[in-house]
Amino acid sequence: MKLDSMYQEVILDHYKHPHGRGLRDGDAEVHHVNPTCGDEITLRVKLDGAVIGDVSYEGQGCSISQASASVLNELLVGKGLPEARKIQETFLELMQSKGRIEPDEAMEEILEDAVAFAGVSKYPARVKCALLSWMAWKDATAQALSQEETA
């Protein structure tokens, strides 16, 4: 199927040419590990008010986990928190669909390159790889917001 092949190319391109790789200054940092396969990520979030100023990361693991972190950076930096959360929730919904959701035009518009991970949702062990950076981003953002409230 041509679509699957195109999606694989998107994932490989993000793996070979990552966006946001290399830790930079941030407001919060988290380290997440996928105990199933050993993938790891250290992720930092920088907020500019209610906007994602930067997401940087260092990690090791399979092409899916590393490409997913790159896509996350590309999609979320520069977005307001409500829009970034909507993107994260839509990606989570796709990943938890077990292959039952066929991305439509509306989902493709929200997820852009992240729609390439649709096929991953059919493989439960790989879903954790794809979600690793997204869960780290969610935690780091919550941490940054709680630090902001106490400051």
Side-chain angles (χ1 to χ4, degrees):
M1 185 177 188
K2 286 190 182 217
L3 197 57
D4 284 343
S5 164
M6 184 183 78
Y7 285 168
Q8 287 174 353
E9 285 182 31
V10 168
I11 291 171
L12 282 174
D13 186 53
H14 274 278
Y15 177 66
K16 291 177 181 174
H17 309 286
H19 300 246
R21 187 170 190 87
L23 291 173
R24 295 178 292 282
D25 285 343
D27 298 319
E29 176 180 302
V30 297
H31 182 77
H32 280 212
V33 177
N34 178 350
T36 310
C37 63
D39 290 355
E40 294 185 41
I41 189 163
T42 300
L43 184 138
R44 289 184 185 158
V45 170
K46 177 123 181 86
L47 298 178
D48 293 331
V51 173
I52 309 295
D54 192 23
V55 177
S56 62
Y57 66 93
E58 273 301 330
Q60 60 185 27
C62 68
S63 60
I64 291 171
S65 72
Q66 298 301 295
S68 187
S70 173
V71 168
L72 177 145
N73 169 276
E74 186 176 82
L75 280 176
L76 300 188
V77 171
K79 300 282 192 315
L81 285 170
E83 185 179 1
R85 284 190 185 109
K86 180 177 174 61
I87 294 167
Q88 188 266 334
E89 289 164 5
T90 304
F91 187 70
L92 181 61
E93 177 187 1
L94 178 64
M95 289 296 94
Q96 292 177 336
S97 75
K98 298 182 177 156
R100 290 189 297 261
I101 293 178
E102 188 65 40
D104 60 10
E105 206 172 293
M107 185 175 269
E108 289 177 8
E109 193 172 304
I110 293 167
L111 293 179
E112 299 176 21
D113 278 358
V115 80
F117 293 88
V120 172
S121 70
K122 297 173 190 167
Y123 306 98
R126 308 305 283 168
V127 167
K128 288 182 180 178
C129 301
L131 287 175
L132 183 66
S133 58
W134 294 83
M135 295 300 107
W137 173 80
K138 188 176 176 185
D139 288 351
T141 301
Q143 191 180 100
L145 289 170
S146 73
Q147 289 172 3
E148 221 173 67
E149 288 173 8
T150 58

